[in-house]
Amino acid sequence: MISAYIYILVAAIVSTIIRVLPVTVFRKPIKNRFVRSFLYYVPYVTLAVMTFPAIINATQSKISGILALVCGSVAAWFNMSLFKVACICCGVVFVTELFL
């Protein structure tokens, strides 16, 4: 029981350090172009790294997830709305898993 409190305490300390450290270390605006562009793209890369494996693994078969990813990417490439892309992906998964 005590170890659970220790885990929670360590998690809270690490989370606080991660949030407070950048504010205390970087007081001036960052002027380096490389660092600025790196920090600009970090949220997009993090979202992609979390999303793409989930798309493939969320279905019963990886083939249907991969087909939905490809069809959704093509639909998004042709500037379809998010709702249409989601409907296309759901339809592809539904039809693919009917036949697999």
Side-chain angles (χ1 to χ4, degrees):
M1 187 67 174
I2 298 281
S3 65
Y5 290 117
I6 292 173
Y7 292 143
I8 293 171
L9 180 66
V10 169
I13 290 170
V14 169
S15 177
T16 303
I17 288 172
I18 290 172
R19 294 167 194 236
V20 171
L21 191 63
V23 174
T24 58
V25 172
F26 303 112
R27 294 189 183 267
K28 297 179 184 176
I30 298 171
K31 295 183 180 177
N32 187 337
R33 283 179 50 197
F34 176 75
V35 174
R36 286 176 60 109
S37 65
F38 174 77
L39 292 175
Y40 177 78
Y41 287 110
V42 165
Y44 300 109
V45 170
T46 305
L47 181 63
V49 167
M50 291 174 11
T51 303
F52 289 121
I55 291 171
I56 296 170
N57 294 327
T59 59
Q60 291 181 359
S61 67
K62 291 189 186 289
I63 295 169
S64 61
I66 292 170
L67 285 174
L69 176 63
V70 170
C71 292
S73 298
V74 169
W77 181 266
F78 288 109
N79 293 326
M80 291 190 174
S81 67
L82 181 61
F83 180 73
K84 289 179 184 178
V85 171
C87 288
I88 289 169
C89 292
C90 290
V92 167
V93 169
F94 180 73
V95 169
T96 305
E97 290 192 357
L98 277 177
F99 294 110
L100 291 179

